Amino acid sequence: MNSNLIYPRKLDKETVYLKNVVKDPAIEVGDYTIYNDYVNDPVYFEKNNVLYHYPVNKERLVIGRYCSIACGAKFIFTSANHTQRSLATYPFGIFFDEWDLPVERIADTWDNKGDIVIGNDVWIGYEAVIMQGVHIGDGAVIGTRAVVTKDVEPYSIVGGIPARTIRSRFDQPVVDALLSLKWWNWPEEKVKANLEAITSGNVRKLLEGNSR
């Protein structure tokens, strides 16, 4: 187990541990989160998948541990969202020199809804789009080509345009137990020792493993 690798699988250059390829300090990624891209080089995730993310807006992309992000998933930030306060859709503020506008008000060109925050153990499907300000709870699943415009509850499955809840992955007592355990914060050796319980869906065994 080595979360400091770029490529976690031998001979696979399409899958990377994401935290080791992003350089923007406004992007935070947890250990073991993977991104797979068979179209573009996954090393360029920051350029190809995090869009309209400019320092002037002071937003962050935060992604937790053990997430799986499929090819072509996009994270859309503030500068894609022209302000609705204006009577025009045209972004005059961008062209402040042309229109003699104060440069310090350039951020007024957009409606800033804040950071995008992805929890732990989240699976984001092929070409899904996550919009600015959205928070996705731990254990959630985002369907293929879903457009997520609102917050997503932990362990829920969402899909569609705009994305809507399809169902919960588990009954509420199981969800509550997993959110209490937070296994993704365990040391790697403890996760490894409990992989059978995790991968087989045995919550009782996982609870027992946590008590050791």
Side-chain angles (χ1 to χ4, degrees):
M1 297 175 292
N2 185 356
S3 65
N4 293 317
L5 298 171
I6 290 179
Y7 302 103
R9 300 203 307 169
K10 294 178 181 178
L11 305 180
D12 177 4
K13 299 298 184 181
E14 295 179 352
T15 304
V16 296
Y17 279 150
L18 195 53
K19 75 164 191 173
N20 300 323
V21 301
V22 296
K23 299 176 181 178
D24 186 341
I27 301 176
E28 176 186 331
V29 183
D31 290 342
Y32 297 106
T33 284
I34 57 172
Y35 174 60
N36 173 269
D37 198 322
Y38 58 85
V39 177
N40 299 301
D41 189 335
V43 167
Y44 298 110
F45 171 87
E46 188 175 328
K47 175 183 177 182
N48 295 331
N49 302 77
V50 184
L51 306 181
Y52 300 96
H53 188 222
Y54 303 132
V56 67
N57 295 312
K58 300 178 182 179
E59 310 147 297
R60 297 184 308 147
L61 171 59
V62 180
I63 303 174
R65 307 181 87 198
Y66 296 98
C67 292
S68 305
I69 304 174
C71 181
K74 299 290 193 296
F75 301 83
I76 310 294
F77 279 90
T78 286
S79 294
N81 189 25
H82 296 189
T83 181
Q84 298 300 299
R85 297 187 303 273
S86 175
L87 299 179
T89 62
Y90 190 80
F92 287 101
I94 297 175
F95 308 104
F96 50 87
D97 284 337
E98 183 77 4
W99 297 96
D100 296 324
L101 296 172
V103 64
E104 61 270 15
R105 293 191 58 188
I106 189 172
D108 292 346
T109 306
W110 313 285
D111 291 331
N112 191 332
K113 297 182 180 179
D115 301 338
I116 294 175
V117 180
I118 313 298
N120 303 279
D121 191 32
V122 172
W123 175 17
I124 299 177
Y126 175 73
E127 290 189 345
V129 175
I130 315 300
M131 298 301 293
Q132 63 163 144
V134 165
H135 289 211
I136 296 176
D138 298 321
V141 175
I142 310 302
T144 294
R145 290 181 171 163
V147 177
V148 185
T149 61
K150 295 181 180 179
D151 291 353
V152 176
E153 291 296 315
Y155 287 96
S156 60
I157 300 172
V158 304
I161 305 174
R164 292 182 171 84
T165 301
I166 298 170
R167 62 178 175 85
S168 178
R169 289 180 57 199
F170 306 113
D171 293 337
Q172 195 58 46
V174 175
V175 171
D176 291 342
L178 290 169
L179 293 175
S180 176
L181 284 170
K182 298 186 186 298
W183 64 262
W184 43 83
N185 289 333
W186 292 355
E188 286 85 348
E189 290 298 333
K190 185 174 181 179
V191 173
K192 186 176 182 179
N194 287 275
L195 276 182
E196 175 60 29
I198 293 171
T199 58
S200 66
N202 193 330
V203 176
R204 181 176 297 178
K205 188 174 181 180
L206 192 62
L207 288 166
E208 292 171 356
N210 185 49
S211 65
R212 297 192 188 103

